[in-house]
Amino acid sequence: MPEVYVGVGFTTSTTTAEIVDAVRGAAPQNSTVVGLATSARKACAPALIDAAKILAVHVTTYTSEELAAVPVPSPSSRVQKAVGTASVAEAAAILASGHGPLAVGKTSTGAVTVAVASKVPPASTEIDDEMECE
């Protein structure tokens, strides 16, 4: 089952249920959500913290500068003016996944915007005993 990270952007009035519903609605079938990601400005938002508990995942946050450094397919000038980066959901998902590809681009469900990126598997560090070295 592919593992994915969901980037989440939301307004201050967003409820826990809205975040949970948006995450569940965006995650591709047969995938496992392994984490949420968002702007550091939202790190202490009760709705996000509670949503992560319900979904049994951790939350990773990024500064506006970190998010702004990620090229995304759907930048927003409105978000740029509001939080100092043209993307929260897409950029956060890409960063959290280890720069994996977007499985689901930016999708808005009212007060919540989500994007889903596929987790990049860690590089193998095992040494093959049968490998010949020169």
Side-chain angles (χ1 to χ4, degrees):
M1 212 176 270
E3 296 181 329
V4 296
Y5 283 87
V6 180
V8 184
F10 54 96
T11 65
T12 55
S13 63
T14 300
T15 67
T16 299
E18 289 173 315
I19 293 173
V20 170
D21 289 346
V23 169
R24 287 182 174 156
Q29 271 191 322
N30 300 321
S31 68
T32 301
V33 176
V34 294
L36 304 180
T38 193
S39 166
R41 296 171 141 206
K42 302 289 184 164
C44 296
L48 177 67
I49 293 167
D50 292 342
K53 287 178 186 174
I54 290 168
L55 296 165
V57 297
H58 67 278
V59 177
T60 305
T61 62
Y62 299 96
T63 65
S64 293
E65 293 79 15
E66 290 171 308
L67 296 170
V70 179
V72 295
S74 306
S76 167
S77 58
R78 183 183 61 77
V79 173
Q80 173 71 44
K81 289 176 186 172
V83 297
T85 178
S87 173
V88 173
E90 288 180 329
I94 291 168
L95 286 172
S97 69
H99 290 274
L102 286 176
V104 177
K106 179 171 76 172
T107 305
S108 293
T109 59
V112 183
T113 300
V114 292
V116 181
S118 300
K119 180 180 175 183
V120 173
S124 176
T125 57
E126 294 180 25
I127 297 174
D128 183 353
D129 289 338
E130 296 180 25
M131 183 170 61
E132 292 183 31
C133 297
E134 294 181 26

